[in-house]
């Protein structure tokens, strides 16, 4: 693998497994919208894409309803859901090794920056990263391509940057910004979804990711 000046990591499904917190937050929001969904496994698809987009796609909400559902989601997520999360085994060790090699690290996520920073602090991951960029609380900058673009503008497009993520949105965002990508199949994107997105590299486990990044 070539040398990269900056490695960007997605959060959900890449650094941490947020299944419990996100699905409970969506379940809470749907209940507030008058929809009972007892099976949280049906809500797994909410992990990765922008929330409002998912409410529109999966529950046919209009834009106004979707934004209201996002507010309800945040009622639960901000108090409980963001802590109902766990770091994937091997991630802290990988990040520490990359720090030892003096490679700049960042988080690029569609989750609001505010929540992302709280999660990283709570799980003692914050000190590994030089920058953390997510979406805005007003619903702007939610597309992964926009998040990556906002990072590259001050960092410099001549730099070698790599995006690591578990959904097609991460890989497509990298393509749109002309940077390389690693798709991780241990998260929430199917192998078919990731292969069709055409990443630069594809790994199946955190151990494989570490092996690739630490060559």
């Amino acid at each position: 693998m070539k040398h990269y000046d900056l490695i960007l990591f997605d959060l959900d499904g890449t650094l941490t497994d947020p299944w419990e917190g996100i699905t409970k937050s969506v379940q809470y929001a749907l209940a507030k919208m008058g929809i009972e969904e007892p099976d949280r496994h049906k809500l797994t698809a909410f992990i990765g894409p922008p929330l409002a987009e998912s409410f529109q796609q999966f529950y046919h909400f209009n834009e106004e309803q979707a934004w209201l559902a996002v507010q309800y989601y945040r009622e639960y997520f901000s108090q409980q859901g963001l802590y109902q999360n766990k770091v994937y085994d091997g991630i802290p060790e990988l990040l520490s090794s990359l720090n030892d090699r003096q490679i700049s690290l960042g988080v690029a996520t569609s989750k609001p920056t505010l929540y992302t920073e709280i999660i990283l602090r709570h799980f003692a991951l914050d000190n590994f990263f030089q920058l953390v960029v997510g979406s805005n609380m007003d619903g702007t900058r939610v597309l992964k391509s926009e998040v990556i673009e906002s990072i590259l503008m001050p960092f410099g497009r001549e730099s070698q940057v790599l995006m690591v993520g578990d959904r097609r949105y991460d890989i497509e965002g990298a393509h749109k910004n002309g940077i390389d990508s690693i798709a991780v199949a241990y998260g929430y994107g199917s192998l078919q979804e990731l292969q069709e997105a055409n990443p630069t590299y594809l790994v199946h486990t955190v151990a494989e990711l570490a092996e690739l990044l630490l060559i």
Side-chain angles (χ1 to χ4, degrees):
M1 173 180 280
K2 67 185 182 184
H3 170 77
Y4 291 97
D5 303 302
L6 173 65
I7 301 176
L8 303 175
F9 289 86
D10 177 46
L11 179 64
D12 295 336
T14 302
L15 297 175
T16 70
D17 183 352
W19 186 83
E20 180 182 2
I22 288 180
T23 57
K24 284 185 175 179
S25 299
V26 175
Q27 186 181 50
Y28 173 90
L30 290 173
K32 296 275 281 191
M33 298 291 290
I35 299 172
E36 296 299 325
E37 181 50 80
D39 185 0
R40 287 191 288 120
H41 288 281
K42 293 181 179 179
L43 307 177
T44 301
F46 277 79
I47 301 174
L51 270 177
E53 175 184 307
S54 293
F55 280 118
Q56 292 178 72
Q57 178 181 350
F58 300 123
Y59 287 90
H60 309 295
F61 291 174
N62 60 34
E63 288 188 15
E64 184 178 350
Q65 291 170 323
W67 182 240
L68 179 58
V70 169
Q71 305 315 304
Y72 289 145
Y73 173 99
R74 290 175 176 173
E75 287 180 5
Y76 183 94
F77 189 80
S78 63
Q79 298 300 314
Q80 300 180 63
L82 54 79
Y83 303 110
Q84 295 167 328
N85 198 343
K86 58 184 179 181
V87 180
Y88 285 113
D89 291 341
I91 287 295
E93 293 81 4
L94 169 58
L95 298 176
S96 179
S97 295
L98 291 170
N99 278 177
D100 289 343
R101 297 189 178 197
Q102 298 184 322
I103 299 171
S104 296
L105 304 180
V107 175
T109 175
S110 291
K111 186 183 295 299
T113 305
L114 173 64
Y115 295 150
T116 302
E117 290 175 338
I118 293 172
I119 291 168
L120 293 174
R121 284 196 302 270
H122 179 74
F123 291 103
L125 297 178
D126 53 316
N127 288 332
F128 292 120
F129 296 100
Q130 285 70 59
L131 72 162
V132 176
V133 180
S135 61
N136 299 315
M137 293 295 284
D138 63 1
T140 57
R141 202 173 64 195
V142 296
L143 299 178
K144 186 56 64 78
S145 58
E146 296 173 336
V147 173
I148 296 173
E149 182 181 23
S150 72
I151 292 171
L152 294 182
M153 283 191 296
F155 199 85
R157 288 186 175 272
E158 70 281 357
S159 302
Q160 295 297 318
V161 182
L162 176 70
M163 179 72 215
V164 182
D166 70 310
R167 296 297 308 271
R168 65 178 178 83
Y169 310 96
D170 303 302
I171 311 309
E172 291 168 354
H175 283 314
K176 288 182 179 179
N177 284 280
I179 65 173
D180 290 349
S181 60
I182 298 178
V184 298
Y186 59 78
Y188 286 90
S190 68
L191 189 58
Q192 179 180 350
E193 172 187 322
L194 295 175
Q195 289 173 330
E196 289 178 351
N198 194 29
T200 314
Y201 309 94
L202 174 68
V203 299
H204 295 83
T205 65
V206 174
E208 286 184 18
L209 176 62
E211 183 178 0
L212 182 60
L213 290 176
L214 297 173
I215 290 174

